[in-house]
Amino acid sequence: MIKFLKDKCIACGLCVDLCPTAALRLRADDVYLYPERCINCGICVLKCPFEAIKSNQPVTFGIRDVRYQVTRACNFRCPHCFSESGQKFNHELSLSEAKKICDKLIKNGMLTLTFTGGEPLLRKDFLLNLAEYLKNKGISVKLFTNGYFLTRPVINRLKNLVDEVQMSVDGGERHHNEWRGGSDSWARIWSAVSYLAGAGLTKTIRFTVTSANYRQLPEVMRKCETKGVDVLKVRTVINKGRAEKSPRYLLNQESHYAESVGKLVNLRRTKNYVIQLLVPSYGFIYDEYLKKNPPGGIFKGCVSCRMGLMVALLPDGELKACPYWPDKIGNLKTDSFSRVFNKLTEVVKPIIEIKKLAEPCAQCRYLTVCGGGCRANALNNNKSVNAPDPNCPLVINFIPPRRDKIYL
C-alpha cells in the first residue's frame, strides 16, 4: 500500500490524474486514497516529481496497465476518434490467442487491463470470456464503452467480471445525441449508470473536450452528480486520427481550456467523487491552489507520461508504447515477450529521461508537475520528442522572443 509524505506533497494532483484505477482523489490541500481501489501498481510512486509517495514494496519499471483495443469496429463515427474506429480490424485476435498474450503480460507485471475499441461490446461474448479468465487470475478489469449496448442483461453478466465501466459522453444532451446519431443515446448512457449502481460496479464517465463541446462540461457534471457517478475522466482532444483530419474540433484557443478544464480544476477539489484530468488537460494552469502554492522543484523528466507503464494492445496483437504513439513496438502474438519488451524499453527510456525541453516549456513555472505534456503529441505535430506539446494553452499563446535580422 502507498503512503503520502505530508512534508513533501504539494497536492498538485498529478498522481490523481495518472492513477489507472481512480484510487486517489484531490481535496482542498491534500490527496485522499481509496484503499479498496488501489492495486499497488506504483505508477504514482514512480511519477511523483517531489518523491512524496512511498510504497511498502519495491517499485520498478514495467508494464502495469494495458489498454486492449478489442476491435476497431464501432457503431458510431465520432469526429474526434484518434483510432479512426468504424470498420472491423483485419486478423483480430481469437480468444485463445488473447489468453496467451494476457498470460505473457501477467507474468511480466500487468495488474490492470481495460477493454476498449472501437466498441468492445460488439465482441461481447469474446469480451466476457476473456474478462472471466483475467478475473480468475487476479487482474483488475475495466470496460470502456460508448454505452449504447449497456442494457440491464449485459450489465448483469458483467457485474462479477469487471470492476469498473467507463462510458464516453460527447457533450450535453442535444450535442451528444447529434454526434451519436440518435435521440436516445444520451438517455441510454444515464440508464446504464443506474443499472451499474445496482450491480455494485464503479461508474465512470469520460468526456473528451473539443472545440464543439467545451462549454457543455458543466451540464455533464450536473448529470454526474444527480446520477451518483463515481469517477469523471476529462481529456482534451488529441490531434490524431479523425481529429487530425478534422482540425476544426481541435482546441486552438485558450478560452477553450479556460471555460472547460479551467472551471473544473478548482471545483474538483470540493467534490466527493474522483475527477481526473487525463494528460494532457493542462488544468494546473488554472488551478488557484497551485497559483498560491507554486510547484517549484526541478524538472525530473516527462513525469506526466506513462509510456511503457501503460501500453496499448491492438486488435491483431501489435503493441504500442501508448495509444497515441505513432509506431508499433512488436506483435505479442508472434514475437517473444522479451524481444517486444526490450524494444519497448529502447523506445521509452529516452522519452522518460529527457533532460531538457524546447521553449516555451524549458522556462515554464509548471514544468515540474506537467513534465512537458504529451510527448506523442509533440512528436506527431512537431517531429521531435523534445518539442513543446502544441495543444498546451501556454504554447498556443507563446510569442517567441524577438531576434534582430541578420543580413548576409
Side-chain angles (χ1 to χ4, degrees), residues 311-334:
V311 298
L313 180 63
L314 302 187
D316 60 352
E318 292 281 356
L319 195 76
K320 296 178 71 174
C322 87
Y324 311 112
W325 197 250
D327 302 318
K328 298 172 183 177
I329 301 297
N331 194 307
L332 288 177
K333 175 182 173 181
T334 55

mmCIF file of all heavy atoms in Angstrom, residues 311-334:
data_model
loop_
_atom_site.group_PDB
_atom_site.id
_atom_site.type_symbol
_atom_site.label_atom_id
_atom_site.label_comp_id
_atom_site.label_asym_id
_atom_site.label_seq_id
_atom_site.Cartn_x
_atom_site.Cartn_y
_atom_site.Cartn_z
ATOM 1 N N VAL A 311 0.456 0.681 -21.758
ATOM 2 C CA VAL A 311 0.671 0.395 -23.181
ATOM 3 C C VAL A 311 -0.653 0.100 -23.867
ATOM 4 O O VAL A 311 -1.667 -0.135 -23.206
ATOM 5 C CB VAL A 311 1.635 -0.798 -23.378
ATOM 6 C CG1 VAL A 311 3.004 -0.507 -22.796
ATOM 7 C CG2 VAL A 311 1.050 -2.080 -22.767
ATOM 8 N N ALA A 312 -0.623 0.122 -25.195
ATOM 9 C CA ALA A 312 -1.817 -0.172 -25.982
ATOM 10 C C ALA A 312 -1.628 -1.476 -26.738
ATOM 11 O O ALA A 312 -0.625 -1.659 -27.436
ATOM 12 C CB ALA A 312 -2.090 0.965 -26.964
ATOM 13 N N LEU A 313 -2.576 -2.379 -26.588
ATOM 14 C CA LEU A 313 -2.588 -3.641 -27.324
ATOM 15 C C LEU A 313 -3.634 -3.539 -28.412
ATOM 16 O O LEU A 313 -4.820 -3.312 -28.132
ATOM 17 C CB LEU A 313 -2.908 -4.808 -26.377
ATOM 18 C CG LEU A 313 -2.970 -6.206 -27.001
ATOM 19 C CD1 LEU A 313 -1.616 -6.609 -27.577
ATOM 20 C CD2 LEU A 313 -3.431 -7.227 -25.961
ATOM 21 N N LEU A 314 -3.220 -3.667 -29.662
ATOM 22 C CA LEU A 314 -4.117 -3.504 -30.801
ATOM 23 C C LEU A 314 -4.873 -4.798 -31.099
ATOM 24 O O LEU A 314 -4.514 -5.872 -30.600
ATOM 25 C CB LEU A 314 -3.322 -3.043 -32.016
ATOM 26 C CG LEU A 314 -2.541 -1.731 -31.850
ATOM 27 C CD1 LEU A 314 -1.927 -1.301 -33.185
ATOM 28 C CD2 LEU A 314 -3.417 -0.634 -31.284
ATOM 29 N N PRO A 315 -5.921 -4.747 -31.910
ATOM 30 C CA PRO A 315 -6.767 -5.931 -32.141
ATOM 31 C C PRO A 315 -6.034 -7.144 -32.697
ATOM 32 O O PRO A 315 -6.478 -8.277 -32.485
ATOM 33 C CB PRO A 315 -7.808 -5.417 -33.159
ATOM 34 C CG PRO A 315 -7.896 -3.960 -32.909
ATOM 35 C CD PRO A 315 -6.504 -3.540 -32.561
ATOM 36 N N ASP A 316 -4.917 -6.927 -33.405
ATOM 37 C CA ASP A 316 -4.193 -8.053 -34.000
ATOM 38 C C ASP A 316 -2.991 -8.507 -33.177
ATOM 39 O O ASP A 316 -2.213 -9.340 -33.626
ATOM 40 C CB ASP A 316 -3.734 -7.681 -35.417
ATOM 41 C CG ASP A 316 -2.809 -6.479 -35.436
ATOM 42 O OD1 ASP A 316 -2.640 -5.840 -34.377
ATOM 43 O OD2 ASP A 316 -2.258 -6.168 -36.510
ATOM 44 N N GLY A 317 -2.823 -7.948 -31.965
ATOM 45 C CA GLY A 317 -1.722 -8.355 -31.102
ATOM 46 C C GLY A 317 -0.524 -7.426 -31.132
ATOM 47 O O GLY A 317 0.431 -7.630 -30.378
ATOM 48 N N GLU A 318 -0.554 -6.406 -31.983
ATOM 49 C CA GLU A 318 0.541 -5.429 -32.004
ATOM 50 C C GLU A 318 0.518 -4.596 -30.727
ATOM 51 O O GLU A 318 -0.543 -4.274 -30.193
ATOM 52 C CB GLU A 318 0.419 -4.503 -33.213
ATOM 53 C CG GLU A 318 0.655 -5.170 -34.557
ATOM 54 C CD GLU A 318 2.130 -5.378 -34.879
ATOM 55 O OE1 GLU A 318 2.981 -4.921 -34.082
ATOM 56 O OE2 GLU A 318 2.424 -5.999 -35.914
ATOM 57 N N LEU A 319 1.710 -4.236 -30.258
ATOM 58 C CA LEU A 319 1.832 -3.437 -29.046
ATOM 59 C C LEU A 319 2.375 -2.054 -29.396
ATOM 60 O O LEU A 319 3.270 -1.921 -30.225
ATOM 61 C CB LEU A 319 2.783 -4.112 -28.052
ATOM 62 C CG LEU A 319 2.730 -3.588 -26.608
ATOM 63 C CD1 LEU A 319 1.493 -4.120 -25.908
ATOM 64 C CD2 LEU A 319 3.981 -3.992 -25.840
ATOM 65 N N LYS A 320 1.803 -1.012 -28.751
ATOM 66 C CA LYS A 320 2.299 0.346 -28.905
ATOM 67 C C LYS A 320 2.665 0.889 -27.526
ATOM 68 O O LYS A 320 2.060 0.521 -26.515
ATOM 69 C CB LYS A 320 1.252 1.238 -29.569
ATOM 70 C CG LYS A 320 0.916 0.833 -31.001
ATOM 71 C CD LYS A 320 -0.158 1.712 -31.604
ATOM 72 C CE LYS A 320 0.361 3.099 -31.896
ATOM 73 N NZ LYS A 320 -0.652 3.917 -32.606
ATOM 74 N N ALA A 321 3.652 1.771 -27.498
ATOM 75 C CA ALA A 321 4.135 2.309 -26.230
ATOM 76 C C ALA A 321 3.067 3.112 -25.505
ATOM 77 O O ALA A 321 3.103 3.253 -24.282
ATOM 78 C CB ALA A 321 5.376 3.170 -26.469
ATOM 79 N N CYS A 322 2.120 3.659 -26.246
ATOM 80 C CA CYS A 322 0.929 4.287 -25.679
ATOM 81 C C CYS A 322 -0.084 4.392 -26.814
ATOM 82 O O CYS A 322 0.294 4.258 -27.987
ATOM 83 C CB CYS A 322 1.242 5.651 -25.056
ATOM 84 S SG CYS A 322 1.175 7.041 -26.198
ATOM 85 N N PRO A 323 -1.357 4.606 -26.507
ATOM 86 C CA PRO A 323 -2.360 4.629 -27.583
ATOM 87 C C PRO A 323 -2.099 5.675 -28.656
ATOM 88 O O PRO A 323 -2.553 5.514 -29.795
ATOM 89 C CB PRO A 323 -3.663 4.940 -26.828
ATOM 90 C CG PRO A 323 -3.428 4.438 -25.440
ATOM 91 C CD PRO A 323 -1.977 4.712 -25.170
ATOM 92 N N TYR A 324 -1.371 6.757 -28.319
ATOM 93 C CA TYR A 324 -1.174 7.856 -29.261
ATOM 94 C C TYR A 324 0.177 7.809 -29.961
ATOM 95 O O TYR A 324 0.440 8.612 -30.853
ATOM 96 C CB TYR A 324 -1.317 9.198 -28.535
ATOM 97 C CG TYR A 324 -2.554 9.274 -27.696
ATOM 98 C CD1 TYR A 324 -2.491 9.326 -26.311
ATOM 99 C CD2 TYR A 324 -3.820 9.256 -28.289
ATOM 100 C CE1 TYR A 324 -3.635 9.370 -25.538
ATOM 101 C CE2 TYR A 324 -4.971 9.295 -27.525
ATOM 102 C CZ TYR A 324 -4.874 9.346 -26.151
ATOM 103 O OH TYR A 324 -6.011 9.378 -25.391
ATOM 104 N N TRP A 325 1.033 6.885 -29.543
ATOM 105 C CA TRP A 325 2.373 6.809 -30.129
ATOM 106 C C TRP A 325 2.257 6.323 -31.577
ATOM 107 O O TRP A 325 1.502 5.394 -31.872
ATOM 108 C CB TRP A 325 3.251 5.866 -29.320
ATOM 109 C CG TRP A 325 4.709 6.031 -29.606
ATOM 110 C CD1 TRP A 325 5.521 5.156 -30.254
ATOM 111 C CD2 TRP A 325 5.522 7.144 -29.257
ATOM 112 N NE1 TRP A 325 6.801 5.653 -30.325
ATOM 113 C CE2 TRP A 325 6.825 6.887 -29.723
ATOM 114 C CE3 TRP A 325 5.280 8.354 -28.594
ATOM 115 C CZ2 TRP A 325 7.883 7.778 -29.555
ATOM 116 C CZ3 TRP A 325 6.322 9.238 -28.417
ATOM 117 C CH2 TRP A 325 7.603 8.949 -28.894
ATOM 118 N N PRO A 326 2.997 6.936 -32.509
ATOM 119 C CA PRO A 326 2.801 6.611 -33.930
ATOM 120 C C PRO A 326 3.296 5.238 -34.364
ATOM 121 O O PRO A 326 2.776 4.670 -35.318
ATOM 122 C CB PRO A 326 3.579 7.723 -34.655
ATOM 123 C CG PRO A 326 4.609 8.168 -33.658
ATOM 124 C CD PRO A 326 3.957 8.044 -32.315
ATOM 125 N N ASP A 327 4.281 4.687 -33.661
ATOM 126 C CA ASP A 327 4.926 3.452 -34.133
ATOM 127 C C ASP A 327 4.549 2.241 -33.285
ATOM 128 O O ASP A 327 4.324 2.355 -32.075
ATOM 129 C CB ASP A 327 6.448 3.616 -34.125
ATOM 130 C CG ASP A 327 6.908 4.782 -34.973
ATOM 131 O OD1 ASP A 327 6.349 4.952 -36.073
ATOM 132 O OD2 ASP A 327 7.804 5.526 -34.531
ATOM 133 N N LYS A 328 4.524 1.092 -33.925
ATOM 134 C CA LYS A 328 4.288 -0.167 -33.224
ATOM 135 C C LYS A 328 5.617 -0.719 -32.716
ATOM 136 O O LYS A 328 6.666 -0.525 -33.321
ATOM 137 C CB LYS A 328 3.627 -1.170 -34.170
ATOM 138 C CG LYS A 328 2.258 -0.715 -34.673
ATOM 139 C CD LYS A 328 1.720 -1.641 -35.748
ATOM 140 C CE LYS A 328 0.377 -1.134 -36.300
ATOM 141 N NZ LYS A 328 -0.120 -1.978 -37.396
ATOM 142 N N ILE A 329 5.548 -1.428 -31.595
ATOM 143 C CA ILE A 329 6.747 -1.974 -30.961
ATOM 144 C C ILE A 329 7.035 -3.391 -31.434
ATOM 145 O O ILE A 329 8.169 -3.763 -31.719
ATOM 146 C CB ILE A 329 6.588 -1.967 -29.423
ATOM 147 C CG1 ILE A 329 6.338 -0.546 -28.916
ATOM 148 C CG2 ILE A 329 7.806 -2.575 -28.755
ATOM 149 C CD1 ILE A 329 7.463 0.413 -29.169
ATOM 150 N N GLY A 330 5.997 -4.201 -31.531
ATOM 151 C CA GLY A 330 6.133 -5.596 -31.917
ATOM 152 C C GLY A 330 4.804 -6.289 -31.734
ATOM 153 O O GLY A 330 3.855 -5.716 -31.203
ATOM 154 N N ASN A 331 4.726 -7.547 -32.155
ATOM 155 C CA ASN A 331 3.471 -8.290 -32.073
ATOM 156 C C ASN A 331 3.597 -9.405 -31.044
ATOM 157 O O ASN A 331 4.422 -10.319 -31.195
ATOM 158 C CB ASN A 331 3.111 -8.871 -33.442
ATOM 159 C CG ASN A 331 1.671 -9.351 -33.496
ATOM 160 O OD1 ASN A 331 1.237 -10.138 -32.662
ATOM 161 N ND2 ASN A 331 0.920 -8.869 -34.479
ATOM 162 N N LEU A 332 2.780 -9.329 -29.980
ATOM 163 C CA LEU A 332 2.855 -10.332 -28.917
ATOM 164 C C LEU A 332 2.250 -11.661 -29.321
ATOM 165 O O LEU A 332 2.402 -12.658 -28.609
ATOM 166 C CB LEU A 332 2.159 -9.798 -27.659
ATOM 167 C CG LEU A 332 2.903 -8.688 -26.918
ATOM 168 C CD1 LEU A 332 2.074 -8.194 -25.743
ATOM 169 C CD2 LEU A 332 4.259 -9.174 -26.441
ATOM 170 N N LYS A 333 1.588 -11.692 -30.453
ATOM 171 C CA LYS A 333 1.070 -12.967 -30.972
ATOM 172 C C LYS A 333 2.185 -13.792 -31.595
ATOM 173 O O LYS A 333 2.217 -15.016 -31.457
ATOM 174 C CB LYS A 333 -0.026 -12.691 -32.000
ATOM 175 C CG LYS A 333 -0.583 -13.916 -32.702
ATOM 176 C CD LYS A 333 -1.632 -13.519 -33.732
ATOM 177 C CE LYS A 333 -2.086 -14.707 -34.566
ATOM 178 N NZ LYS A 333 -3.091 -14.317 -35.587
ATOM 179 N N THR A 334 3.126 -13.129 -32.248
ATOM 180 C CA THR A 334 4.172 -13.841 -32.992
ATOM 181 C C THR A 334 5.563 -13.679 -32.389
ATOM 182 O O THR A 334 6.434 -14.513 -32.630
ATOM 183 C CB THR A 334 4.212 -13.343 -34.447
ATOM 184 O OG1 THR A 334 4.390 -11.916 -34.461
ATOM 185 C CG2 THR A 334 2.893 -13.676 -35.160
#
